[in-house]
Amino acid sequence: MADLQHDIAKILITREQLQTRIAEMGETISRDYKDKDLLLVCILKGGVLFLSDLVRAIHIPHAMDFMAISSYGGTRTESSGVVRILMDLNTSIERRNVLIVEDIIDTGRTLTYIIGNLKTRNPASLKICTLLNKPSRREVNVPVDYAGFDIPNEFVVGYGLDYDEIYRNLPFVGVLKPSVYVHGRETE
Ligand code: PRP
């Protein structure tokens, strides 16, 4: 992990801070959805590390499913919001209480698309849970029901978040050195 950490300018959220906050979120979600048919919908790929810790902090029965979205027309550091579904849910969400699990909300465009799409499938309720939220970058208003951390407008990687598919395995959320996305990673 040492070589990946070399590319990190600073750690924004430590492993301990992540785990403490996720435990709190799991408690809140367990209370809010008690006796309800809860289905967590994880948006791949970034949300997968958060989901795996969040489900272990939720102590009520629930199911999980996955969607993969492709965003195109953007850059390596920003999504365009022009999205299409690469992999759809396996299960019907009709009359179920759906909680979307995301790693980060930036402009809000991706989730706006997903919400619009899922609403047409008649869930009993549809709410949003994100680990990270960048309110200063919002272009479209998104109703965030559960947010782990509001963060400043810096390019973050780790704990599911990537740059060019790398860094997702870092156990913390860190700010990537700008030299990496300006000059590329040193692989030697
Ligand atoms: C990230 C993140 C959200 C989206 C947020 O996904 O997981 O889905 O961008 O950006 P927005 O609010 O500006 O639309 P990304 O496209 O990087 O895919 P990934 O999860 O596979 O890394």
Side-chain angles (χ1 to χ4, degrees):
M1 205 79 89
D3 55 330
L4 289 184
Q5 297 212 10
H6 174 76
D7 296 341
I8 303 301
K10 67 175 176 198
I11 295 178
L12 201 61
I13 309 171
T14 65
R15 182 202 288 252
E16 293 74 23
Q17 287 170 321
L18 286 168
Q19 295 307 324
T20 302
R21 183 71 185 113
I22 293 167
E24 289 170 0
M25 296 173 86
E27 279 299 323
T28 308
I29 291 166
S30 301
R31 199 171 55 235
D32 293 354
Y33 286 91
K34 189 172 179 292
D35 301 324
K36 290 190 174 151
D37 178 17
L38 171 60
L39 174 68
L40 301 181
V41 168
C42 176
I43 310 302
L44 298 173
K45 304 169 194 166
V48 77
L49 274 77
F50 176 41
L51 177 87
S52 70
D53 281 335
L54 184 66
V55 292
R56 285 177 282 187
I58 295 176
H59 50 78
I60 58 167
H62 63 275
M64 59 180 105
D65 204 347
F66 298 86
M67 269 181 112
I69 305 291
S70 154
S71 143
Y72 51 94
T75 67
R76 282 177 168 190
T77 54
E78 291 189 20
S79 75
S80 67
V82 183
V83 296
R84 73 192 160 95
I85 296 175
L86 288 180
M87 187 189 90
D88 207 343
L89 301 172
N90 274 328
T91 44
S92 167
I93 63 169
E94 195 168 353
R95 292 190 298 277
R96 305 187 74 181
N97 293 286
V98 174
L99 182 59
I100 299 171
V101 177
E102 261 285 24
D103 54 342
I104 188 165
I105 307 177
D106 192 356
T107 64
R109 289 180 185 165
T110 305
L111 264 182
T112 298
Y113 172 82
I114 294 170
I115 292 166
N117 183 287
L118 295 185
K119 268 190 180 163
T120 65
R121 308 184 196 189
N122 301 318
S125 67
L126 184 58
K127 292 194 172 182
I128 294 168
C129 176
T130 187
L131 178 67
L132 306 176
N133 187 27
K134 267 190 189 173
S136 63
R137 290 263 308 161
R138 200 71 92 250
E139 291 175 12
V140 196
N141 188 35
V142 175
V144 184
D145 301 283
Y146 304 94
F149 301 88
D150 280 359
I151 61 168
N153 184 20
E154 294 188 275
F155 189 76
V156 289
V157 295
Y159 199 71
L161 292 107
D162 74 307
Y163 169 67
D164 221 5
E165 295 299 327
I166 309 295
Y167 307 101
R168 295 190 198 272
N169 59 321
L170 290 174
F172 53 78
V173 175
V175 177
L176 193 62
K177 286 181 182 167
S179 58
V180 177
Y181 48 85
V182 175
H183 304 299
R185 292 188 62 236
E186 289 172 28
T187 50
E188 289 297 307

